[in-house]
Structures are given as structure tokens and as C-alpha cells.
Amino acid sequence: MIDPASLPALHASHGGIWLREDGRTRELAKGQAIGRAAETPLLLLNAPLTGQRLGYPDLNGLDLLELWAFLHPARFLVPTPKGLATALGLPVPTSEVEIPALLQSAAQAMLDRMGAPEWREREGGWTAAQSLHRLRWPWAPIIAPRIAKPKEAERWLFSKLPEWEEAQPRPAPRTVTLDEGQVLARLDALTGVGAEPRPGQRAYAAAAIGAFRPRAHRDQPNMLLAEAGTGIGKTLGYLAPASLWAAQAQGTVWVSTYTKALQRQLDRESLRLFPDAAVAASRVVVRKGRENYLCLLNLEDALQGGFTGRAAILAQLVARWAAFSKDGDMIGGDLPGWLPTLFRRNGSTALTDRRGECIYAGCPHYRKCFIERTARASADADIVIANHALVMINAARGRETGQRPQRIVFDEGHHLFDAADSTFSVLLSGQEAIELRRWIMGPEGGSRGRRRGLSARLSDLASYDAEGGEAIRDAADAAQALPADEWLKRVVAGEPFGPVEAMLAAVRGTVFARAADTGEADAGYGLETELAEPDGPLVEAAQEAALALDALLRPLTRLSRRLEAVIEDAPDWLDGAARARIEGAVASLGWRRDLIGAWLALLARIGGPADPDYVDWMTVDRVEGREYDIGIHRHWLDPSRPLAEAVLKPAQGVIVTSATLKGGGDWGNAESRSGASHLPHGAERFEASSPFDYAARAEVLIVTDIKRGDIAALSGAYGRLIEAAGGGTLGLFTAIRRLRSVHARIADRLARGGLPLYAQHVDPIDTGTLVDIFRDDPRASLLGTDALRDGVDVPGHSLRLVVMEGVPWSKPTVLHAARRLAGGGNAYDDRLIRARLAQAFGRLIRRAEDKGSFVILSAAMPSRLLSAFPPGTPIRRLTLDEAIIAVSVQARAQILGEAAALGHQGAESGSARQERE
């Protein structure tokens, strides 16, 4: 049996490289470390990240994160030395030189757990270890001797997953009126005994009651717009009346978020509603799109030879996780976010249903499907936690009419406009068109995989119904006109095949011709131009493409009618499973018909009159000069209009809430961006200011001596500010290129000072894990883009400084230009920028004891935008040297405050211990 202490351990960071072997630790150069790693497997923590630090991206070894994923498949772990030590109960290393020894100790501790009788995830471990051994997983020879062979053969994953059961549809909710006293009593129960009084939270809960009253007008939900500043406690403020209404009315409330971070937070808060975890799991359901969940049929294919190499190892570890997962959610659920990144994203996306190819009841795992189980659980849940897009799609498509959201809370409501913009938009591109072809035709030529076309999915219908079978064949013939594999190569070479590829070639030619006048064609970025004044070849190509799409739409429409007729006639072979599969096919066909119809409307606009309700434009998408898609876009000029029609008007009650709901404007801005302005009677309003003392605990510093475009000066400013704050810094950028440049210049220097620096678009780690690492280490700092400007909740001991590289101006896109013209020009821009500044500032003070600085590295910050910050917040324009002094003072105050609070807690616990004794 191999002793982990005999295995060499390697740790590499921006601060240096250390190797421990033969009982001693020494520092190495990069070349030495790479050579040593090539000789023998080394103990590592996060091989892709270590390989990046070494400049050796193909680094592999005995990754302790992979061992953790095998040992504790669905348990949370911060993937850092500190996080690993904390999870295993080992001493946290005080310097990087101690980390290799920790890796050896951690390996020993995890291997020892496999022999312990209390190992909770033992079931299936022996069988998985044998499979991984055949796949040559580096850990397999080490763990296999430590796992005793079970007396009886272990059940395969697919035989031990629980089955969901069909249940009769839930009756319509009862008509009830909530009592304010009961709602406030529920709020008191949720906040707990001894919680500090929050008058704003109680007022918020009382105002939210109105959204749960019986509806009084047609096409008019009881709608509340609620802006509640940070610290009000709006989550429990709306959960109190929502949970009480759900219990009394026997109905479901949908709580919708924009970010996965808030979804996770709400899922944790559900334990306040139902302290028993088993009860909470049935009464509160997290619901996402199908592409987020593990597809068991795809997993079975991967386990039976569909995956090879490292991807096959990932499939085995995912199978281990699936046996213990709460709900099978691979994106933001209990699958560690870092696990797919260990395999360089190799295979993880193929384990979900991203193409909409589900065969429903035709799948052998249908009764155990995570997606179907979650959908059914949500029908009987009190609270369904979803995202804006899913709520809108459910309401607009109406596939699940019985579950159409009727009582909705849109948290992070300032993103409702953007979510509607994305949901109700149309894109006709090469990538979208080839996905439709694959959905209809299935695998072509020598392609492999589980993909199935319409004929394979509906073979029983084709054999039973001649007209249905003919429609399937006609659809497959018509789909030949859609782009096929390697379509982009043909288009770029000027040799398109078929009418749709020819239309894409014409789009590309127009975009490049117009870009040549501006000099953007050689810049390497994506290109776009208005769909205005098209030339003759583009108009002709669009007409030919429209004829081809119309020829495809007709057989799909016929097929839908035949499927509906089969359901009505109910032949002998139409059992429950077959009915479910055909109903699923009807829904899928409906979505594709709607898509093709939207494409036809878009093509009809080329050469015809423009529709003032829409903004249309053409794009060539590129990354660093490499083209990857070509398309035509259509967005609503005001996407709150379809939002109001499809989502708000059919609903009974709606709450739209956020800390920055007015978005740097007035209530008129909130009403126009939420869709309330399109309702007959508008919406009620509620506003509660943050209880935090911003004047004493925060400051805005505008640095005036950093020259725009000077990357060296910008990097130096970031480095010095992070050092002044002692880490704990969130750096926000508007351009990925500048982020990478700044990170490259300062990461090594900060690491040598004991201040680790992480970055989006640099480190091979998903965003959620980066935030977890940042939250866990008070001396770490994180650089990121827009994704980190909102939805990041990090306490003051880990976040005491926010730095923005400059004013977050809007990008001059075709869509933005159109909305700017319609929205008031500069006033429209100012509202957007104030909203972004307010969202970024909101990351800084999350709790009453937090203290920190908000720095903008731009002398061009207009004074008119400073109203984005809370009233009373000190705002100063100063030099970088002065800002560094101010940041240092503020950060020291926060750190001392944290230390005093910890000391006070320690003294209190000591006193309590003496009393008990």
C-alpha cells in the first residue's frame, strides 16, 4: 500500500514553486518543476491552475481535488490549501512553503477516511474505483487497496436512483386574504428570537401583502415595485407573506433571480422556512432550464464507451456525484463548480441536454430523470426558486399550463429588462440553424454520439400513421437546406452550399464591406452593422433562404397536427409512456415552429419596410480575429412590452424588487423597465433606504492622476491600492484585455507579499468558485468584469475595497444607439451608468459592521453621475498617493473592527463556558 508521505508534492503560485520529497521542502525554478512533474506523478491541488502558474498547461498528476470528488462527491469545498485544510480538520498553513506538506497530510487524511466505517459515501465506491482503474486514473492504484470489496454486488447508479411518481394535478389555489398581523408574526419567526429590530423590513413585508390579494382587474396583476436598500432584509421580507400565502391558499409562489449566487442563497434561506431539511426539499424547489441538469441517458452513453481519455474519468466522477446529489443540478448545484474545470471542460457539456433532444418517456431513465423529478416537485411546492428567463419562457410558451407562474417575486428586479431583452429576441445564425438541422435529422455521415433525429424519436408514429411518417420524411428533406457541418469554412471561402449558407455569406460580405470604411475589420473584434439599406445580393439571398425555411415549416406544422390527432384518437399502443413522449414532441415542435416563424419575419424585413418596434442588425462574431458565427439579430426596442403581455398580465400578483430598482433614475424609469407602464393600472410603489451609516463607514475616492490608456500606470495603481488594503479587493474592468494586462503585471509582486490575486478570464476556474475563494481568504483579491458587479455577496473581512478602472460607459452598439435615441439621448446613458455604479458600490457594504473604500481610477468621472451613491457618502477627488493613504486607514479600521468583534465573541463564549461550569 502506497504511503502518501512518500509521494512528492508540488505547489506553484505567483509567489514561487515548492516541491516536498524525502521529508524536506525546497524551492524550484519553473523548468525544474516541469521536468520533475514529467518524471513521476506529483501530489497537486488543482492541476490546471498549477499548470498555468508553471506555464505548462498539460500538467497532470495526483490532483487532490479529484480525490475529494471521489471521496465526498456532493460536499462543498473551497479548492485552496486553506479550504482543504479546513474541510479535513488540518492546521491551516501560515506560509506557502508549508503547503506541499499539507498536500501530503491531506492525501493521508482522505485515504484514511476510505477505511473508516463512518464514510457516508461508501456505496458505489468500490465499483467506481474498479472502473477508474481500467481508465488509468492516477489515484486508482492508491485507493483500490483501501476500499474493501462489498459482500454483495453494488447496485448500478441507474438502478438505485429513486423514481418519481405521477400525481393528479394540483387544484387551483384558494382565494385568501392575508392578515398583516399573521405576516409580521411569520417574519418574526423567520428572523429568530433576539434578532435586531428592522422597521424597514417590517414595512416591506406589510407592503408585499398587496401582491397576494385576489386580483381585481383583468390584465392587471396586483403589482408592487419595491426598492429596498442593502441591509433592509428584503429576502425574508417577501418570503414571510409568500410562504404564508402558499400555506393558506395551497398554491405556489415563484421567486425569480438573475444570478445563480442568489439562487443558492435563497435555497439556504429555505431552512428558515422549514428547519427539517427533508421537508424543505419538498416544499422549496430550485428550478432551472433543462441544460443545467445531468441527462442520465447522456451519462449512460458516456459510461459505456461514448467518452474516452480524461472525459471518461470525468463521467465516472459525475456518476459518483449523481448518486448523492440533491437534484442533479450540474451548474450551480451541489456538483463542485471546479470539477469540470479540472478536465479543461472536456465532456461536461455533453452530459446535459443542451440541444433540446430529450425523448421524454422514450428514455429508459425517464422515471428517474432529475429534470422531470424537479418539474413535478415544483408543481406541489410552496416556493419555486427559478431564474428570470425560465419564468418568462414558462409564461410565454405555456408548455406547462398547469404550472404557469401566477404569483411571482422578481428579485434582482433591476435585471428584468435585460432578461426580457434576451428572452424575447431572435437570432438567425449559422450556429442556431445547424442546431435545428441536427435536431431534425440526427447524426449524418460518420458522426458519432447519442443525437437522434425526428425519425428515430417518433418511429412508432411513422409506422402507425402514414401521413405523420410522410411529414417526418418531408421535414428531413427540407432540412437539407440548412447549414451543415463545416458551414463556416465554406462561407469564408466563398463556396456556400444551400440557400441559408448563401444568405449568411451575403450577410458576412455586407458586414465586412461596411466595416472597411471604419477601419474595424482588422481589429480582431466582432463586427456589426445595421440591417438597413441592404444591397441587391443580400435581398435576393434572404428571399431564397425564406423560401427554404417556409418549405421546412410546412411539414413540421403537418406533423404537429398529426401528433395532436394521435393523442385525441388514442390508439392501442398509446400507453402512458408513449403519450408523454408524443406530448413532449408536440411541445418541442411548437418551439421550433415559433423559431422558424420568427426567422421568416426577420427575413421578410430585408428589403422591406423597417418595423419601428424592433431593432435589427447583422453580425460577424469573432474572438481575437477568429470567426465563429454569422447572424442576423432582432430585439424589441422596448422588451418590457412582450414582458407585460406574456408574463405580467396573465399573473395574479407580481413583486419586482431590488436595492437599485430605480436604476439611477426615478420611479418612471422603474416602471418603464419592469413593464408596469404597459399595464392598465400600473403598480404600487414601496421604498426603504438602507439602514447603513454610509457617511461613517464608506467613502468614494476619484483618482485624478491616472492617464487614460496608460496600462503601466493603471497596473501600478491597482497593485498599490491592493497592498494598501492588505488584499480584500474587488477590481472591476470593462474590458477583458485590460484585466489580463493588469493581472500579468501585478500578480507576482502581490503574491510575494502574501496577497494572492485571482482573475476571471485568466485563472482556469469558474466564476462561482472564484467568488468562494475570494470570500474564504481575507488577503485574497479578485479581478473581474460585469459578472462580478452584481450578485456578489462577500462580507467586509474579505471585501474592504472596490476599484473600478473607469466610468462604465456603454458600448456603442447598434442596439444601444437605437435605445439611446428613443430614450432621451444623454439622459438614457446617464441612467444606465448610475445604475452600474450603484450596483458596483453595493458590493462594498453588505453588513452594518462593514467598512471600506470605493475607488474610481478616472479623472473623467462627471459630477452629475455622483448621485448614484447613497446620500451622505463622502466623495473626494484626489491623487493616487492620497487615495492610497485613505484606503490604508479605512482598511485598517475594518481589520481592527473585525479583530475586536472576534475577541468580543471569544470573551462571551468564555464567560458562557464559566457559567456552565
Side-chain angles (χ1 to χ4, degrees):
M1 194 175 291
I2 299 174
D3 179 10
S6 67
L7 295 171
L10 179 71
H11 169 68
S13 75
H14 287 292
I17 304 166
W18 293 269
L19 176 72
R20 182 174 179 81
E21 60 182 340
D22 300 328
R24 65 188 187 90
T25 303
R26 59 193 174 96
E27 193 166 2
L28 299 179
K30 284 186 178 181
Q32 292 175 303
I34 292 171
R36 192 70 183 83
E39 293 174 2
T40 185
L42 304 176
L43 289 175
L44 306 165
L45 185 67
N46 196 331
L49 184 62
T50 304
Q52 186 183 67
R53 301 287 190 261
L54 294 175
Y56 181 47
D58 295 328
L59 176 69
N60 284 307
L62 295 163
D63 196 329
L64 290 168
L65 293 182
E66 293 182 28
L67 182 60
W68 177 274
F70 177 90
L71 180 69
H72 298 307
R75 289 202 212 177
F76 177 76
L77 174 74
V78 178
T80 61
K82 178 191 174 187
L84 184 65
T86 302
L88 294 172
L90 299 173
V92 176
T94 58
S95 66
E96 291 197 286
V97 72
E98 298 176 5
I99 292 176
L102 167 69
L103 301 185
Q104 292 178 333
S105 300
Q108 184 66 66
M110 284 194 277
L111 293 172
D112 288 345
R113 287 189 179 190
M114 293 181 184
E118 61 271 16
W119 181 25
R120 292 195 315 226
E121 296 93 339
R122 175 181 301 279
E123 185 179 11
W126 184 86
T127 302
Q130 306 310 305
S131 298
L132 287 164
H133 199 290
R134 289 191 292 273
L135 295 172
R136 299 185 179 182
W137 185 42
W139 280 108
I142 300 175
I143 66 173
R146 290 172 165 81
I147 304 177
K149 183 177 181 178
K151 296 180 181 178
E152 298 181 358
E154 293 178 317
R155 290 184 298 161
W156 201 29
L157 167 70
F158 303 102
S159 64
K160 63 186 179 184
L161 285 174
E163 293 189 356
W164 50 262
E165 297 181 357
E166 290 283 4
Q168 65 180 18
R170 192 178 191 180
R174 298 173 54 234
T175 301
V176 300
T177 300
L178 298 181
D179 177 76
E180 182 174 330
Q182 291 181 325
V183 170
L184 295 179
R186 171 64 64 95
L187 178 62
D188 291 338
L190 293 177
T191 55
V193 179
E196 62 175 303
R198 291 188 182 185
Q201 186 182 52
R202 295 176 69 83
Y204 182 103
I209 293 173
F212 298 96
R213 293 195 308 264
R215 190 168 73 167
H217 304 282
R218 183 178 181 181
D219 289 340
Q220 175 64 49
N222 296 315
M223 186 168 181
L224 174 69
L225 300 179
E227 181 168 278
T230 307
I232 289 294
K234 68 178 185 303
T235 301
L236 295 182
Y238 61 67
L239 283 179
S243 61
L244 189 63
W245 179 87
Q248 293 184 359
Q250 293 297 291
T252 300
V253 178
W254 288 65
V255 179
S256 180
T257 77
Y258 190 72
T259 63
K260 290 183 173 67
L262 183 56
Q263 279 192 329
R264 289 195 295 267
Q265 178 186 328
L266 285 167
D267 194 23
R268 291 193 297 268
E269 294 282 7
S270 67
L271 293 176
R272 292 177 181 260
L273 292 170
F274 306 102
D276 186 326
V279 174
S282 63
R283 305 315 310 161
V284 180
V285 175
V286 177
R287 184 82 183 275
K288 299 180 182 178
R290 304 183 67 87
E291 68 279 1
N292 289 274
Y293 296 93
L294 173 67
C295 171
L296 294 175
L297 193 56
N298 284 354
L299 177 62
E300 182 181 32
D301 179 64
L303 295 176
Q304 293 184 338
F307 283 13
T308 58
R310 291 278 292 165
I313 294 172
L314 172 62
Q316 290 291 337
L317 294 177
V318 169
R320 280 280 291 156
W321 161 78
F324 300 96
S325 172
K326 171 187 173 184
D327 56 9
D329 180 4
M330 292 188 68
I331 315 294
D334 51 15
L335 180 76
W338 42 258
L339 181 59
T341 65
L342 300 182
F343 296 83
R344 282 77 170 181
R345 297 286 178 189
N346 190 2
S348 61
T349 56
L351 295 176
T352 59
D353 178 23
R354 292 184 175 272
R355 297 192 183 104
E357 294 182 327
C358 180
I359 55 176
Y360 298 94
C363 174
H365 311 301
Y366 180 66
R367 304 288 302 188
K368 300 178 180 183
C369 174
F370 288 115
I371 305 166
E372 296 296 330
R373 185 191 310 166
T374 301
R376 283 159 177 76
S378 66
D380 293 319
D382 288 1
I383 307 290
V384 174
I385 302 169
N387 57 56
H388 295 348
L390 181 64
V391 170
M392 293 179 194
I393 289 169
N394 267 3
R397 289 179 175 168
R399 173 174 178 261
E400 299 163 316
T401 305
Q403 295 187 45
R404 179 171 288 175
Q406 292 290 303
R407 306 279 177 173
I408 313 170
V409 179
F410 286 110
D411 204 338
E412 299 181 309
H414 57 281
H415 283 301
L416 201 54
F417 185 92
D418 294 329
D421 188 29
S422 176
T423 301
F424 298 109
S425 64
V426 177
L427 169 60
L428 170 52
S429 74
Q431 295 287 1
E432 293 289 315
I434 197 173
E435 284 302 320
L436 178 61
R437 177 188 179 113
R438 290 166 175 168
W439 182 82
I440 294 171
M441 300 187 64
E444 298 181 74
S447 61
R448 297 180 56 194
R450 195 194 55 79
R451 188 188 308 135
R452 302 184 185 187
L454 273 179
S455 178
R457 292 198 296 273
L458 297 173
S459 57
D460 47 3
L461 173 77
S463 62
Y464 165 78
D465 185 85
E467 189 175 344
E470 183 181 355
I472 292 173
R473 290 189 292 274
D474 289 347
D477 290 340
Q480 298 280 353
L482 296 172
D485 289 340
E486 300 191 342
W487 67 270
L488 186 57
K489 289 183 180 179
R490 291 190 294 275
V491 167
V492 172
E495 300 174 350
F497 179 78
V500 179
E501 287 188 18
M503 184 270 297
L504 294 172
V507 167
R508 181 178 184 272
T510 301
V511 172
F512 270 99
R514 296 181 181 180
D517 297 335
T518 64
E520 295 177 349
D522 298 325
Y525 302 115
L527 302 173
E528 64 175 31
T529 186
E530 291 182 77
L531 186 56
E533 302 298 331
D535 58 16
L538 177 56
V539 174
E540 292 175 7
Q543 291 173 348
E544 292 298 320
L547 291 174
L549 290 175
D550 184 65
L552 174 60
L553 180 59
R554 281 185 271 114
L556 292 181
T557 302
R558 278 204 330 270
L559 178 59
S560 293
R561 290 173 181 163
R562 292 311 306 160
L563 291 174
E564 292 167 357
V566 166
I567 292 175
E568 290 178 6
D569 294 342
D572 294 341
W573 56 267
L574 192 70
D575 55 12
R579 175 182 290 272
R581 185 173 73 260
I582 290 180
E583 287 176 346
V586 169
S588 296
L589 279 167
W591 303 343
R592 269 70 185 190
R593 287 165 50 206
D594 289 346
L595 175 65
I596 297 172
W599 286 353
L600 287 170
L602 181 55
L603 291 175
R605 177 258 186 274
I606 302 178
D611 190 329
D613 289 335
Y614 298 100
V615 182
D616 303 325
W617 72 98
M618 300 176 287
T619 59
V620 174
D621 295 322
R622 302 191 295 182
V623 173
E624 297 179 351
R626 182 181 61 84
E627 296 180 35
Y628 64 90
D629 204 4
I630 302 166
I632 309 174
H633 298 252
R634 163 164 281 190
H635 282 235
W636 282 81
L637 181 64
D638 178 8
S640 70
R641 285 180 53 189
L643 168 67
E645 293 296 327
V647 183
L648 302 183
K649 288 183 178 180
Q652 297 288 320
V654 177
I655 298 174
V656 181
T657 187
S658 166
T660 56
L661 187 62
K662 290 187 288 185
D666 54 17
W667 279 111
N669 186 52
E671 289 179 343
S672 66
R673 293 182 70 84
S674 66
S677 60
H678 300 296
L679 298 177
H681 301 283
E684 298 292 325
R685 302 170 180 175
F686 173 83
E687 185 172 6
S689 299
S690 173
F692 298 151
D693 184 1
Y694 289 107
R697 308 201 69 83
E699 60 183 353
V700 176
L701 308 176
I702 303 171
V703 176
T704 59
D705 57 347
I706 302 296
K707 185 179 179 181
R708 179 177 174 83
D710 189 339
I711 292 296
L714 184 68
S715 303
Y718 266 96
R720 293 179 64 192
L721 287 167
I722 292 171
E723 289 171 336
T729 300
L730 177 63
L732 299 175
F733 289 77
T734 56
I736 295 174
R737 179 172 294 182
R738 286 195 294 275
L739 182 156
R740 288 173 171 164
S741 296
V742 169
H743 179 272
R745 288 171 179 262
I746 66 175
D748 289 1
R749 160 185 151 193
L750 292 173
R752 287 192 292 271
L755 301 174
L757 180 66
Y758 299 91
Q760 274 186 304
H761 309 291
V762 176
D763 294 315
I765 305 175
D766 65 288
T767 300
T769 300
L770 284 172
V771 174
D772 289 336
I773 293 171
F774 179 45
R775 182 185 295 111
D776 189 58
D777 188 350
R779 293 182 63 78
S781 295
L782 176 60
L783 306 182
T785 53
D786 287 353
L788 297 180
R789 195 179 60 215
D790 201 4
V792 174
D793 187 4
V794 176
H797 66 269
S798 288
L799 176 53
R800 44 195 174 269
L801 173 64
V802 175
V803 183
M804 295 191 77
E805 63 162 326
V807 182
W809 303 110
S810 299
K811 294 180 180 179
T813 64
V814 171
L815 181 61
H816 173 73
R819 288 179 177 160
R820 184 179 185 275
L821 182 63
N826 289 337
Y828 176 82
D829 273 338
D830 287 354
R831 287 194 297 270
L832 292 181
I833 297 165
R834 286 194 195 99
R836 293 167 189 157
L837 290 170
Q839 291 156 19
F841 182 85
R843 303 309 99 214
L844 186 63
I845 307 295
R846 308 296 296 173
R847 292 155 186 79
E849 62 272 16
D850 291 351
K851 194 175 181 72
S853 304
F854 186 89
V855 177
I856 302 174
L857 298 173
S858 173
M861 177 69 185
S863 297
R864 69 179 185 276
L865 301 178
L866 299 180
S867 59
F869 304 112
T873 305
I875 301 175
R876 292 188 284 160
R877 295 181 186 269
L878 68 184
T879 66
L880 177 61
D881 290 340
E882 292 170 331
I884 287 169
I885 294 172
V887 166
S888 179
V889 171
Q890 195 84 323
R892 192 178 304 115
Q894 169 68 29
I895 293 170
L896 291 175
E898 289 285 340
L902 290 172
H904 180 63
Q905 291 174 4
E908 281 188 343
S909 62
S911 300
R913 187 164 53 249
Q914 290 176 358
E915 288 179 9
R916 287 196 303 272
E917 292 173 352

